[in-house]
Amino acid sequence: MFHLRLVPDDTKIPFMNGRFAGLLTSAFLSIASIVLFFHPGLNYGIDFQGGIVIEARTPQAADFASLRHSLGELGMGQVALQEFGSPQDVLIRLERQPGDDAAQQVAADKVRASLAQILPGTQVRRVEAVGASVSSELFANGMLAMGLAMVAMLIYIWFRFEWQFGLGAVVTLLLDITKIIGFYAITGMQFNLTAIAAILTIMGYSINDKVVVYDRMRENLRIYKKMPLRDLIDLSINETLNRTVGTSMCTFLSVIPLALFGGEALQDFGIVLLLGVFIATTSSIFIAAPILLFLGENRLRRGAPEAAASNAATTP
């Protein structure tokens, strides 16, 4: 039986030769992402900056392109449309309008009038304004969710392996997340609760990939007690490379339809997941592994001083 293998079993790629280039590139991208976070900043969605939500039912299946064009001409900022339930049910999201509650009501009335003109017989079932206090609370809760997830992952890795593994995984996660934030800033995609869900999904995928590589490293530390740590890390990455590439490719291919045909509600989510899979896969090799090498070079080999001396002699 023919088995497709994306990577040969006997690869001997010296990944750690590129450890400095990988770390410097990652640090540069993360610093640039932090700068982009402050300027020009993120394009916060209605969830985080407040706005107006209108639920409507059209007489027939909604033409989203026509609706988006007509509502966009009202001059009320960014308009987001989402289908929910049946093709006739439309969720309309508008930016919070300058002014008090009366200004929000005027904007909602304009949308009602536009819908009645475009699609006579449209029923507006719900109009809801998301205030600044609610949106700030949602943002704080989203940040808290990411922070708690990171702490939980640190504790899990720390107890399962050694503290060097846990610290390396969490530092790499922070670098991965900053790059995703920078992507949101540079593309202008809406940063909302869906973005938080995407980042949490990427965090889970990333830590899973690192656990696989770290687990092989731990096994090889027991088997090859005198092998220099740098060579052992290269060996472990090569041994898990076929699994890493295969899993990432399957995930990537399964998310592509979501990014291409997911519609306005899921397209951004799919695009960010594609980027996240790529970042998580490469960071396991070029970021997490070099960090572990620097942290554990003289600590993971406490019982084998001759191995540490050999490692120091072979490291340029």
Side-chain angles (χ1 to χ4, degrees), residues 149-150 153 156 173 176-177 196-211 243 273 276 280:
M150 192 165 297
M153 291 176 185
Y156 169 72
L173 271 179
D176 291 351
I177 291 170
I196 297 295
I199 292 174
L200 289 172
T201 303
I202 293 167
M203 289 172 61
Y205 181 88
S206 179
I207 204 69
N208 176 72
D209 194 60
K210 287 159 185 58
V211 165
R243 182 265 178 202
L273 281 187

Side-chain angles (χ1 to χ4, degrees), residues 14 18 25 71 89 100 114 129 143 175 185 199-200 211 228 243 246 251 253 256 273 284 287 292 316:
T25 301
L71 296 177
D89 295 320
D100 54 12
S114 180
M143 296 300 103
L175 294 171
I199 292 174
L200 289 172
V211 165
R243 182 265 178 202
T251 307
L253 292 175
I256 285 178
L273 281 187
S284 298
I287 311 301
L292 180 63

